[in-house]
Amino acid sequence: MTDRRRHHDMGGVPETDPISQAGHSLEPWEKRVDAIKTLLSDSRRKLLTTDEMRRGIEDLGADAYERYSYYERWIASVTNNMLQKKVFTVDELGRKMAEIEARQDNKPL
């Protein structure tokens, strides 16, 4: 029998660490990611389905999947889905990221 598991399918793999069931507080940026995903998926906008979100996470390369946290995987999936649907372009995303970075550089510490 061929092992057809993809890198994200770790259920039942004996050498993986157990998943922590402990609750934890979310960082502000994690709450924003959750809000963005919720807004894009609501009945008014319908820009992102659960299946699209999951496919985006599962399609991350093994390296990215291992390196990213839970909400980093989410925002990567959201971003890739919005790029594929032409909601915004790579150039627009880059300009907005630069604008935010410049704003943060000017903030007093």
Side-chain angles (χ1 to χ4, degrees):
M1 182 176 191
T2 303
D3 186 4
R4 294 181 174 210
R5 288 179 186 259
R6 291 181 62 197
H7 57 275
H8 65 275
D9 187 7
M10 293 182 266
V13 176
E15 61 268 13
T16 58
D17 294 331
I19 296 171
S20 172
Q21 301 289 321
H24 64 279
S25 59
L26 298 176
E27 295 293 325
W29 73 268
E30 293 172 318
K31 292 178 183 177
R32 284 188 205 109
V33 170
D34 190 87
I36 289 167
K37 190 261 182 198
T38 299
L39 290 170
L40 292 172
S41 303
D42 73 7
S43 60
R44 196 176 87 185
R45 293 173 191 84
K46 297 181 181 176
L47 288 169
L48 184 65
T49 67
T50 299
D51 290 339
E52 291 167 333
M53 184 73 176
R54 183 166 59 197
R55 178 193 45 79
I57 292 170
E58 292 174 353
D59 286 348
L60 290 171
D63 179 58
Y65 189 88
E66 290 295 322
R67 199 166 17 98
Y68 291 174
S69 69
Y70 183 78
Y71 281 102
E72 287 172 330
R73 291 177 197 148
W74 272 38
I75 199 62
S77 180
V78 166
T79 302
N80 289 334
N81 272 289
M82 294 305 102
L83 288 169
Q84 289 170 2
K85 293 180 178 197
K86 301 183 186 321
V87 173
F88 51 77
T89 67
V90 171
D91 287 342
E92 290 168 332
L93 177 62
R95 282 195 300 273
K96 182 55 94 175
M97 290 173 70
E99 177 188 314
I100 292 169
E101 190 174 322
R103 239 184 358 229
Q104 292 187 343
D105 287 345
N106 293 329
K107 270 188 173 178
L109 297 177

